[in-house]
């Protein structure tokens, strides 16, 4: 795990499409039929990410097969300044969904211009898709042998077309290191926030989430399609139990305690919780505890055992195990990355 500014500083140049050395360079690849909402997600999320000193973390540009107008799936075009040369200079390439690369391209074969543009992406760059943008990544061979996702409505077709890809149709997004894929529409926001969190830390990602008025973190493994995302007014919700639990993460919490907050049986609460949140209550609690541990590692000088107790893991060993499973790093490695001053104390 490394910060965006660290990655960018080793390769930034004042020449070419990108004009701000030191910032992580993002190229958003827009093709005819692009969905305006999804095209705007990277610009909005990355565009307002600032370090603690107020320095922009990213520089984001839009490119296409050639400079000029690009038709959207709405009743207006967008005018794009850059061609595929931006792909060769980017640290991260984002491909939003568009008609050009969507499931209507049943052959799975790229046109020569598209193949050439994808070949221009420099080795080591991070590649990201939003919704059916995954079709372009798969057709370019970037998902071969990897785990990926796409919009649940197209997952079966996607798997048939690209059997060499391991498709997970149920998750919001998949982080496979340098290749990341997301499901439809709003999950693109989740994935971009995940990248800000991965690059710049929890505090920066939470600040971006607050400014865009969205939840600060939805785990990638959360279900894409929740059959009852909002409870009917006459039905009880699990919202009060969740709020109660968030104030008591340092305490051992049981399903029975949570169910009692809503005057439900454990069985009913378990079913209702999964319907509303898209995961089990136990998994949700672990996710919240990991989130709290990350915040404490970034913002305090507390020792690992102290943080483990405050986050409800009990012991430092338990917290290390959960952070390793969730983030792939130890608490000390995470702190060194997102609290650099800790390594100098």
């Amino acid at each position: 795990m490394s910060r965006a500014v660290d990655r960018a500083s080793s390769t930034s140049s004042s020449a070419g499409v990108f004009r701000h050395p030191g910032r992580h360079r993002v190229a958003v690849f827009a093709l005819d039929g692009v969905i305006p909402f999804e095209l705007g997600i990277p610009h909005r999320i990355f565009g307002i990410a600032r370090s603690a000193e107020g320095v922009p973390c990213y520089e984001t540009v839009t490119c296409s097969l050639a400079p000029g107008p690009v038709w959207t799936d709405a009743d207006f075009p967008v005018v794009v300044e850059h061609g595929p040369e931006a792909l060769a200079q980017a640290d991260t390439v984002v491909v939003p969904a568009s008609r050009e690369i969507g499931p209507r391209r049943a052959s799975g074969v790229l046109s020569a211009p598209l193949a050439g543009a994808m070949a221009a992406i420099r080795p080591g760059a991070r590649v990201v898709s939003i919704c059916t943008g995954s079709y372009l990544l798969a057709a370019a061979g970037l998902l071969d042998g990897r785990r990926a996702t796409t919009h649940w409505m197209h997952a079966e077709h996607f798997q048939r077309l690209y059997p060499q890809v391991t498709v997970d149709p149920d998750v919001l997004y998949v982080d496979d290191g340098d290749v990341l894929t997301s499901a439809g529409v709003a999950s693109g926001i989740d994935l971009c926030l995940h990248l800000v969190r991965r690059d710049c830390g929890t505090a920066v990602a939470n600040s971006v989430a607050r400014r865009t008025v969205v939840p600060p973190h939805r785990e990638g493994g959360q279900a894409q399609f929740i059959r009852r995302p909002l409870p009917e007014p006459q039905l009880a919700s699990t919202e009060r139990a969740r709020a109660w639990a968030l104030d008591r993460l340092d305490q051992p919490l049981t399903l029975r305690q949570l169910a009692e907050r809503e005057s439900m049986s454990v069985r009913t609460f378990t079913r209702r919780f999964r319907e509303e949140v898209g995961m089990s209550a136990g998994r949700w609690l672990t996710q919240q505890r990991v989130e709290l541990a990350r915040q404490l590692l970034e913002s305090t000088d507390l020792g690992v055992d102290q943080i483990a107790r405050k986050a409800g893991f009990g012991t430092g060993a338990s917290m290390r195990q959960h952070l390793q499973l969730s983030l792939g790093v130890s608490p000390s490695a995470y702190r060194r990355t997102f609290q650099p001053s800790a390594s100098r104390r």
Side-chain angles (χ1 to χ4, degrees):
M1 183 185 300
S2 61
R3 291 179 296 172
V5 292
D6 292 337
R7 263 201 309 275
S9 61
S10 64
T11 54
S12 293
S13 169
S14 58
V17 170
F18 295 91
R19 309 252 168 86
H20 298 280
R23 299 183 191 176
H24 185 99
R25 301 166 297 187
V26 180
V28 184
F29 193 30
L31 299 171
D32 280 338
V34 69
I35 300 173
F37 182 94
E38 298 184 12
L39 177 63
I41 289 171
H43 292 275
R44 181 61 175 164
I45 300 300
F46 298 134
I48 60 176
R50 300 286 189 275
S51 70
E53 296 74 31
V55 178
C57 300
Y58 302 89
E59 180 180 2
T60 306
V61 304
T62 304
C63 64
S64 190
L65 291 175
V70 173
W71 289 100
T72 71
D73 77 336
D75 62 344
F76 57 85
V78 294
V79 178
V80 176
E81 182 178 352
H82 306 290
E85 69 277 3
L87 302 177
Q89 300 173 33
D91 300 306
T92 294
V93 173
V94 181
V95 181
S98 74
R99 184 174 60 249
E100 177 75 12
I101 55 176
R104 292 185 181 88
R105 296 185 62 85
S107 68
V109 177
L110 296 180
S111 64
L114 271 177
M118 294 301 289
I121 298 173
R122 66 175 182 81
R126 186 167 61 187
V127 185
V128 178
S129 67
I130 298 176
C131 194
T132 54
S134 54
Y135 277 76
L136 180 54
L137 304 193
L142 297 176
L143 300 183
D144 288 359
R146 291 183 180 259
R147 181 172 162 260
T149 194
T150 191
H151 193 290
W152 62 269
M153 290 180 64
H154 305 297
E156 185 177 345
H157 174 270
F158 186 87
Q159 184 67 90
R160 289 199 309 270
L161 192 59
Y162 302 108
Q164 66 274 30
V165 181
T166 301
V167 180
D168 189 337
D170 298 322
V171 298
L172 293 177
Y173 56 83
V174 171
D175 180 341
D176 200 30
D178 58 344
V179 177
L180 300 95
T181 52
S182 66
V185 194
S187 63
I189 299 175
D190 295 311
L191 179 52
C192 288
L193 280 172
H194 169 74
L195 288 173
V196 173
R197 186 178 302 271
R198 199 174 99 171
D199 293 339
C200 309
T202 300
V204 175
N206 287 351
S207 175
V208 172
R210 282 194 298 272
R211 288 191 59 182
T212 48
V213 198
V214 296
H217 180 55
R218 288 202 299 171
E219 187 182 68
Q222 184 169 328
Q224 278 190 41
F225 181 63
I226 303 173
R227 294 187 178 275
R228 189 167 63 228
L230 293 173
E232 298 176 17
Q234 70 272 23
L235 295 178
S237 165
T238 62
E239 182 178 357
R240 289 178 302 175
R242 280 177 272 144
W244 181 81
L246 287 174
D247 289 335
R248 296 165 175 78
L249 290 177
D250 60 325
Q251 303 173 20
L253 301 174
T254 67
L255 266 176
R256 182 170 298 280
Q257 287 176 304
L258 294 174
E260 286 174 352
R261 301 304 302 178
E262 304 291 0
S263 300
M264 296 180 189
S265 68
V266 170
R267 182 176 180 180
T268 299
F269 179 85
T270 299
R271 183 182 71 254
R272 189 69 51 77
F273 194 99
R274 186 177 290 277
E275 288 173 345
E276 293 179 13
V277 181
M279 64 180 72
S280 70
R283 183 175 175 183
W284 179 84
L285 277 172
T286 298
Q287 178 181 312
Q288 303 312 310
R289 285 174 167 143
V290 168
E291 180 66 18
L292 177 56
R294 292 172 73 158
Q295 293 177 15
L296 292 172
L297 285 168
E298 291 182 30
S299 61
T300 74
D301 296 327
L302 295 173
V304 169
D305 288 336
Q306 289 174 292
I307 292 175
R309 288 192 293 271
K310 284 182 173 292
F313 289 115
T315 66
S318 176
M319 188 177 83
R320 289 186 186 92
Q321 180 181 14
H322 280 94
L323 260 67
Q324 190 69 45
L325 288 172
S326 298
L327 309 177
V329 296
S330 67
S332 57
Y334 185 87
R335 174 170 268 169
R336 282 195 302 270
T337 300
F338 295 117
Q339 197 191 83
S341 59
S343 63
R344 298 194 292 269
R345 284 196 291 266

